[in-house]
Amino acid sequence: MPDAMITSTAQIGRRWPLVGRNPDVDRAVERLLAPEGRAVLVTGPPGVGKSRVLEAVLHRCVAKGHHVLPANGIVTDHGAPLDAAHHLAPQVEPHGTTPAGALHRIVARLPRPTGQHLVVLAIDNVSGLDEAAARLVGKLASEKRVRVILAAEETAIGTGPVDVLRRTVRLDRVNLAPLDWQHTRQLTAAAFGTDVDGLTADELWQLTGGNPLFLREVLRNAVENGALTLHDHVVGWRQGTAIRSWTSDALTGPLESLSTEETAALRYITYGDGAPVEVVERLAPVPVIERLEELGLIRLDQSSPATLVTVVHPLTARAVRTRTGPLRARRIHSELVAALAATGSRDRVREVVWRLAAQFEVSDDEVLRASAKALLGHDAATAEQLARQVHSPAAAWHLGRALLARGDHRSAEGWLAEAYRNLADPAPRANVAALRAVNRCWGIDGPLSALQVVAEARAALPTDVHGDLMVAEAFVMAFAGSAAEAADAADRLLHPPHDPLLASVLHPLRPRLLLLRGRPERAIAELPTDLSGKPSIWPAMHALLQATHVQALIMAGEVRQAADLVGRYYRDAVGHGTPDGVATIALVGGICAYYQGHAGQAARWLREARALTAEQLGFGFREALLAIGVGVEAQLGQAENAQELLSRLDQGGAGRTTVDYGAFGAVWALVISGNRSGAATLLRRLAAEAARAGNLLMAMEFLHVEVRLAPSATVAGRFRELAAKTDGRLFALFAEHAGALTRRDARVLNRVSATFEELGYRGFALEAAANGAMFGGGRVTNALARRTQRLLGEHQGTWPEWLPEPKTAPALTDRERQVSELAAAGMDTPAIARALTISARTAENHLHRAYSKLGIHRRHELARALAEDGFVLPAVARQIV
């Protein structure tokens, strides 16, 4: 699906679902309807969803048959003491009556529940009640047949009517926290009726703090300003846009009530942008800072060695900045610099940033040293900000490196090319050329252009600075499909590069080459035991390392462990904030889901990856994303989507290799057109090319598809030959699968299918079972047919066109089922015969026929086989047993 800008707020649902609040609603209902008759107070910050939770609680109460009375504390007529109480029973006219009289009339007119049914009184915005009405509600809550649930903001606790109620009746508090990351994403997806990419979801979560009201307003603002696009059915930020200033009464309201001291302190914290607490305490009184924390405007961040103070909501910080003039902002930064110096801090990056903002004199060398230190500290955004303050060849080098780390490939190439032209020292020029080559291969136009950059630099620069160029060459070779040449280049590296950015390219290189050469288990052994939660100077390279780990696990027969890691690595990539890093993990997430037989899940992963890299036509895995997506969409029966992806694949950039997953595009095009023999011929050629290039991974992948399309002894023999050179359990199983298909060996296919399923490769288990059920007959065939039926019921997607129509397993007769169920329950044959008033011989005959139809050999296998067929032991059998 091509890009489409979202320009109408009508595309945001008018009624959002209640997301992430089921535990809160459950807790409120449980306490509200408890036998001891508790009253419940729902609290939380403005916009967190208190009213929606109250509504959900009332729906639950109605479903249980209780009477409900909703009211709102802020609705009054003329301000009389009991005006709010009027809404509890509209037929009562409280004017001119005492609270006791009004209470008597309301109680007299309450619905009279029958049986166990109750009256549930719900009051939203309870802080709007007057004290007399609050006392009235408290007395109502003491009635045995009445339950009361209230909602108020956190700041109302201990004040006015809430304090009166707390003295009158016991209130069980249910505090609503902001939504977490996953629920924020879920709510955003519900607002648009389609998926949202992880980076966009993360930015929205960071921006709104998980507040549903803020989220809704931010989305409306983004839509009105054309900041969102829809690509491949995935909503995301339009590249180069940012949300404009937005304010809300719920957000700016607390700012209006701040004292002068509190406002000043909040400004220091806002412009400090994560300043150490010691710095802020030198500029504002500690009680004032504590008050801001109690109001929920600031928080302490203790994740780094120094305790930092930050504004809770970025939107609050934005509102503070819009209310602060440039001269005052300059003075604030000046005072921050002085306070930082007074603490004796050696945080040079923060110092330089503040000094520049205060318009102090800072030398170019100081700025560039701070930029390099920021990048080394995994803060590429600050590194970029600082490098842009200087205009020199060295600054272009620093800026290009920062942009590279942020995943801005085109801009990075421009600045690095300028640096290469103008730098005089050969060593920095070699580093720049190496980074350009990796960047061009990974995100611009592919390996051929990258190798040209290396060749030109090698010819122009002295040999003693060629080390960095060799790193880039090995990386590009790995992507160019020549695993053997890449391994040779990697072996020639004598020392790792001094540059940490370029050194991060080496981290995924060796394990990836081991994977490509058919050694996934060795690759896993060389990887660190824990790759999640680690900061990275170049997030895309860290994502590539994690993706290699996932793919190696898949090929080693550990697809379940791979699937567990994908989620953790995905959150890492989102946290690092680069589209290509997230897309890389989403790609292997799609591969992992495909190998598990979850085509629908695979399609969602791949759609997100394509959406995130839609504007990066040179993304290293672009062809793989499109080609795998074609196969997945075809399997889901989405022929139009598959054709659209094929058309995009035909527009691919120059330099595409023929021995990676991208080559499957041409294969699926032939399969979809009905030319299976042509696809098989192409696959055989691709496998031979991959093997010659030392890429056994892709050779095995190509052969495995070929043997499923057109089984032959030649392919099976080649499979065995290649599998003998690999160490992955899955490769050995593929070879066994190929041989059994060629020999039409149902017994081996039964074993292969069972092993696939045991390991978690359910799609391959289904295929092996379906093929095996067509060969031979008898007990093994029946077992395969039953496994086919069971797996097909769990399978996502259409039936692959190269498979035979699934064979139906013979059904048990009623008597065979009765005998089998009793035997599975533990009864011996004589007992079964007596229970069913048949002879023991007849019972035994029924049992053996059931064994044959179920495809089993022993009595202890009955329970599992019956469970797979959906049989449940009847009550009469349980009683007999």
Side-chain angles (χ1 to χ4, degrees), residues 287-364:
V288 173
I289 301 171
E290 291 172 347
R291 174 61 179 162
L292 292 176
E293 183 183 27
E294 290 166 359
L295 290 173
L297 293 172
I298 66 170
R299 62 167 171 248
L300 296 182
D301 179 1
Q302 297 176 312
S303 60
S304 58
T307 300
L308 308 178
V309 188
T310 62
V311 178
V312 171
H313 289 293
L315 292 171
T316 301
R318 188 166 297 181
V320 170
R321 290 177 185 273
T322 59
R323 294 170 172 224
T324 305
L327 289 177
R328 180 175 292 182
R330 179 179 173 180
R331 175 174 57 80
I332 288 171
H333 279 115
S334 175
E335 293 172 346
L336 285 167
V337 170
L340 183 67
T343 66
S345 170
R346 299 189 61 82
D347 187 346
R348 296 294 176 247
V349 175
R350 193 183 304 276
E351 179 189 353
V352 169
V353 169
W354 288 349
R355 287 173 65 192
L356 288 170
Q359 298 185 18
F360 291 171
E361 285 292 330
V362 186
S363 71
D364 288 353

Side-chain angles (χ1 to χ4, degrees), residues 442 512 515 542-555 559 562-570 573 580-596 598 601-602 605-606 608-609 619 621 624-625 628 661 697:
W442 178 258
R512 184 154 194 85
L515 172 62
H542 189 66
L544 180 58
L545 179 65
Q546 292 174 321
T548 300
H549 188 198
V550 170
Q551 200 171 357
L553 286 168
I554 294 171
M555 296 305 162
V559 72
D564 290 340
L565 285 177
V566 163
R568 289 160 54 186
Y569 291 166
Y570 176 77
D580 48 356
V582 180
T584 300
I585 300 299
L587 168 60
V588 292
I591 293 173
C592 190
Y594 173 78
Y595 271 81
Q596 289 182 294
H598 303 323
Q601 184 180 341
W605 277 116
L606 297 171
E608 178 171 356
F619 176 56
F621 292 134
L625 277 173
I628 297 173
Y661 285 105
L697 167 67

Side-chain angles (χ1 to χ4, degrees), residues 761-808:
Y761 301 83
R762 301 176 74 84
F764 295 147
L766 173 62
E767 286 196 29
N771 278 312
M774 304 306 296
F775 306 149
R779 190 167 300 191
V780 173
T781 298
N782 290 341
L784 286 162
R786 288 187 179 279
R787 183 180 294 115
T788 301
Q789 290 175 330
R790 176 172 52 78
L791 290 173
L792 187 58
E794 304 166 358
H795 185 64
Q796 298 178 13
T798 59
W799 188 250
E801 66 90 25
W802 59 77
L803 288 180
E805 285 299 316
K807 186 174 180 180
T808 303

